[in-house]
Amino acid sequence: MQEFIVNYINHLSTFGQVAIVLNVLFFVLSGVIFRYIVKPTDDVERNKRRIRWLRFLNFLLLMIYVIDALINGYAENSNKWLLQLSQTGLVLLISYLFIQFSHAWALQHYGKDKSIDGEEVSSRTYKSEMMHIIIIAITLIASILLLVNIWNVTNWLQATGVLGGLLVILFATKDAWAVDSVHGLILLYNHDLEPGVICRIPEHGVLGVVRKISLTQTTFRDLVQKHKIVVPNSKLRTTKIEILNRTGQTGWNEYIEYKIGYSTPAHVVEKFLEKVWEVACEKSNALNFDKKPKISLIEAGDHAIVWRLHYHLENIYQMKPARFCINRCAFNLQSEFGLSLATPITHESIDSVQANYPKEEINESNDSTTESESN
């Protein structure tokens, strides 16, 4: 067996020997390639699928040589189509790896490294994506030319029908890739949405951190449930987006409102909210005790007064946990200050309201009503 393998490898051409060596190397080093050389994505399963896919392609190409060896041994009259098939597979494999390496190179030279809630993330930019598109186009053209020469179908290049058919296919599928790709480039060019930016999109019910912007879609991470939210770029370009921070900024001015009844004096409410702030600062590291909050009376409603507590967040990524902490502290302290956070339901008749008015004003209003009726 060993003698057969050695004789068969010696029988192969230089191209065949190089192809087998490359396939074996790629099969063994596929994990290293997608973990250390090509920057992995945030999706662990996707990285595993890319490794399995690369190894599967290597295995298929190696099987072509094995089948050729089993059918023809190492004779000189081996099937030509097997050689062409192996060359085609090798061209596609190298093209795929070249695109992956070039994307990693574009991200390294033109991308930006950002810190998102303590996690370092390499983000795409307009320059990196444009460079990647150019490299993909050049790679595809070079691959097509190589495949044409491998299969000796150079006359296809002279037939306008083939090129026309490719153009028709591209035009027919433009709605699936062109629209979102153009919008993705516009989003990257404007620099409004970048990894690390917290956005609120009321139309889609999104409140999350931008994780990745690709040519077709934008990925968010929900602030509360931490799950991924994927929105097509064309949808983002036609909806209202509230950008709560800029890249690198972790501070944020937030507020929370409480409805408290009219029976509670203003100074009691102020002391209550100040105490809530002190206790919340002790329990949450996203709040700074030295930065005092601002307490405002926002609205005198039908049943209660709307009080607003303005405060500063040290870490905007903890927006929801900080709010939950303040609400919990307010709930625990309401009995201590003799007030209730429940909105009271109050009904007051007109007679009782008039009873609080001076008698002179009531008499004047009644006299004016009588005069208008007599007229």
Side-chain angles (χ1 to χ4, degrees):
M1 184 65 179
Q2 182 178 0
E3 182 180 356
F4 175 79
I5 295 175
V6 172
N7 292 331
Y8 180 72
I9 292 177
N10 293 330
H11 155 72
L12 291 174
S13 62
T14 304
F15 177 85
Q17 294 174 352
V18 172
I20 290 180
V21 171
L22 289 177
N23 274 279
V24 173
L25 286 177
F26 290 151
F27 185 87
V28 175
L29 300 178
S30 56
V32 177
I33 290 173
F34 286 107
R35 288 192 181 98
Y36 301 102
I37 301 177
V38 179
K39 292 187 177 181
T41 62
D42 297 334
D43 192 348
V44 178
E45 290 299 324
R46 183 182 176 185
N47 294 327
K48 293 181 179 179
R49 286 197 302 268
R50 293 198 302 181
I51 295 173
R52 289 195 296 264
W53 179 247
L54 179 58
R55 287 177 174 171
F56 178 71
L57 291 177
N58 293 139
F59 179 77
L60 286 181
L61 293 177
L62 288 173
M63 285 299 100
I64 293 175
Y65 287 96
V66 173
I67 293 172
D68 183 40
L70 293 177
I71 294 176
N72 302 296
Y74 47 89
E76 295 181 357
N77 58 346
S78 60
N79 292 328
K80 183 180 179 181
W81 67 270
L82 286 174
L83 177 61
Q84 291 175 327
L85 189 61
S86 64
Q87 291 175 346
T88 300
L90 188 61
V91 168
L92 296 178
L93 179 62
I94 293 177
S95 300
Y96 171 74
L97 289 176
F98 180 75
I99 290 175
Q100 295 294 327
F101 285 128
S102 64
H103 195 201
W105 174 83
L107 282 176
Q108 182 178 1
H109 286 78
Y110 300 102
K112 292 182 179 179
D113 293 330
K114 302 180 183 297
S115 178
I116 303 177
D117 197 13
E119 180 183 356
E120 295 295 330
V121 176
S122 179
S123 64
R124 306 181 183 191
T125 62
Y126 178 78
K127 289 183 179 180
S128 67
E129 292 305 293
M130 285 300 298
M131 183 62 67
H132 189 212
I133 291 175
I134 293 173
I135 292 174
I136 290 177
I138 295 175
T139 305
L140 290 178
I141 294 173
S143 300
I144 292 174
L145 293 177
L146 288 174
L147 294 177
V148 167
N149 285 278
I150 289 173
W151 292 94
N152 295 321
V153 287
T154 54
N155 57 336
W156 283 16
L157 297 177
Q158 301 174 357
T160 56
V162 176
L163 296 178
L166 292 175
L167 292 176
V168 169
I169 293 174
L170 291 176
F171 182 79
T173 59
K174 63 180 177 63
D175 293 335
W177 57 270
V179 176
D180 285 326
S181 298
V182 171
H183 286 297
L185 289 175
I186 294 174
L187 290 174
L188 291 171
Y189 180 79
N190 290 335
H191 300 290
D192 290 328
L193 291 182
E194 294 180 340
V197 172
I198 294 181
C199 299
R200 182 186 288 118
I201 309 177
E203 182 177 346
H204 300 288
V206 175
L207 176 60
V209 186
V210 177
R211 296 289 300 178
K212 183 177 65 175
I213 302 176
S214 65
L215 289 179
T216 56
Q217 62 191 19
T218 300
T219 304
F220 300 87
R221 185 184 67 188
D222 189 84
L223 275 184
V224 179
Q225 297 178 320
K226 307 300 182 182
H227 62 274
K228 287 185 178 180
I229 303 173
V230 180
V231 182
N233 291 331
S234 57
K235 298 291 184 181
L236 291 179
R237 291 275 299 155
T238 57
T239 188
K240 174 186 175 182
I241 302 176
E242 300 177 14
I243 299 177
L244 305 186
N245 71 324
R246 302 300 302 175
T247 304
Q249 295 179 351
T250 58
W252 170 251
N253 293 320
E254 182 65 300
Y255 68 85
I256 189 169
E257 294 180 345
Y258 297 103
K259 294 181 179 180
I260 301 176
Y262 281 88
S263 60
T264 305
H267 69 277
V268 175
V269 177
E270 291 175 351
K271 291 182 179 179
F272 164 71
L273 293 178
E274 289 174 357
K275 183 65 175 180
V276 168
W277 173 255
E278 293 176 3
V279 177
C281 288
E282 296 176 358
K283 296 184 177 181
S284 174
N285 55 7
L287 305 175
N288 189 351
F289 179 80
D290 296 330
K291 296 183 179 180
K292 299 299 182 181
K294 180 181 178 182
I295 301 172
S296 304
L297 192 156
I298 300 301
E299 180 184 356
D302 294 334
H303 304 286
I305 298 292
V306 179
W307 293 88
R308 177 176 295 178
L309 178 69
H310 297 262
Y311 58 92
H312 180 78
L313 267 175
E314 292 295 318
N315 187 355
I316 189 173
Y317 301 109
Q318 299 295 321
M319 177 190 301
K320 287 296 184 178
R323 174 180 287 268
F324 298 154
C325 179
I326 294 175
N327 283 333
R328 181 65 178 268
C329 295
F331 175 79
N332 293 334
L333 292 173
Q334 60 179 340
S335 58
E336 179 180 336
F337 287 83
L339 54 85
S340 175
L341 298 179
T343 303
I345 300 177
T346 56
H347 297 281
E348 193 169 2
S349 63
I350 297 178
D351 294 337
S352 63
V353 173
Q354 290 182 351
N356 296 326
Y357 290 164
K359 293 183 179 180
E360 293 79 3
E361 294 183 5
I362 297 177
N363 293 332
E364 289 178 0
S365 63
N366 292 333
D367 293 341
S368 61
T369 303
T370 304
E371 292 178 359
S372 62
E373 290 177 354
S374 63
N375 292 332

